Amino acid sequence: MKSLPLSYLRRRPLGTVLNVLLLGLGIATIVVLLLLSRQVEENLTRDAEGINLVVGAKGSPLQLILSSIYHVDAPTGNIPVAEAQQIMTNPMVKKAIPLALGDNYRGYRIVGTTAAYPEHYGTAPAEGRLWDGTLEVTAGAQVAQELNMSIGDEVVSSHGFGDGDTHGDHPMSVVGILEPTGTVVDRLLLTSVETVWEVHGAHAHDDHEDGHHDDEHHQDGEHSHDDHGDDHSHDDDHHGDDHDHDEKHSHDEKHSHDEEHHDDHSHDDDHHDDGEHSHDDHDDEPTVAASAPPPGPPGLQIPGMISSEDYDPSAEYTSLLIEYATPMAAATLPRFINTQTNMQAAAPAFQTARLLGLLGFGLDAFRVFGFVLIAVAALSLFIGLYNALKDRTYDIAILRSMGASRGKVMQHVLTEGLLLALGGALLGLVIGHLAAEGLGQFLETAQGVSLTGATFVPEELLLVGLAVVVGAVAALLPAVLAYRTDISGVLARG
């Protein structure tokens, strides 16, 4: 008697497999979405932890966050070191980490920064040491593992974030490998800002000789005026000048061009000529002078600060990662940067929430698809059990005549539905985790996003419970019909 439900399922293998597969696919779809959304949210939160503000070139704030914190998009442009260091020394800034982006090595991004960057993510060299000086790199744990790196290996970077031209004349040496952290730093190659400037100083010269400008945003030691025009969207969009941009490659000519703008166009909007910011009308704004850094707290030491004697006046950072010194900074510093400078400030918390909202909208569509599959599986399960009941009506009558109670017969039909549902739930969990692992491998290769199927979320237990309910509901009507079977009538018909 106890093996009857299994025997009935084995008697119709095709129907059994179809019902289990349909339910399993619905469960698997929702499992993938659960794993994806949970891990994406955790990764975004962990990578942005402790970063209150990102300062970079004007453009899309979400793009600035994606490129500077998560390293999955192209930068919005570059910002002059002189202007950036005025923000770094602002009393409202507790910590400012400069970044210089522009190259990759075999798909992994090379980031020019300071020792404060790996320190921020709580990592230190597991082997070797941090870079010291130029043309030295320290590899993240995942980069070193994937590329089988060791101390002393040579790294020749490629321009941009794809398969661009290589900087073969500036090879870099691996001097250390960082401890794994589970954060974005595991997927990066870290070096000094000066290394990025040195590499791209030569590259910028080559581009000038060839009359070619790369479309990628990158960190050059010497930038053309055209590149500044892309980064600071106000030069040509707001002034109809006829200057030939191909002739503006020197620092002096760039300032001359800015002065012409200043003389020809007097306006009170939020856009200002490069290096010329008027603060006369903004006495209520926080004090960050445009011509000289404001005084910081006594004894203030900013990691990454570079003496003006040590860099070319045209040198640039890509962005700054900032931690506030006071809660008041959240209300005043971003507004000041966005309205009174040629830079923009983006809050990771706000942009991350926006990104998750956009991502959640897309995930909702897939989630609905998963529930539709589960509903179709429930319907298929009901039809299969109903048809099977009609085929075994005589068997049920024999069981009843042998002493089986109505409840026992009803229990057999319900058990059959529950076995199908549990089989579909288990299959769905397996398929879902395998699909999440495969998706994680693809995203890691294509976008550097770390996801895995080797994890479990509590909501998966709710899915198993949902499958049991679906099986019970689908089997309920056939079970009731089995309970109400007329023994004498069935046996009389034979």
Side-chain angles (χ1 to χ4, degrees), residues 479-494:
V480 171
L481 294 176
Y483 178 85
R484 300 173 62 179
T485 300
D486 182 7
I487 301 175
S488 58
V490 173
L491 292 177
R493 289 194 302 269

Side-chain angles (χ1 to χ4, degrees), residues 7-8 47-48 54-55 65 67 96 102 106 117 126 147 218 238 242 246 253 261 278 307 318 357 473 487 489:
S7 299
Y8 285 139
D47 290 344
V54 179
V55 177
I65 296 298
S67 62
R106 296 173 62 179
Y117 188 72
L147 301 184
H218 55 275
H238 295 280
D242 296 324
D246 293 332
E253 289 174 339
H261 277 292
S278 174
S307 170
T318 302
V473 171
I487 301 175

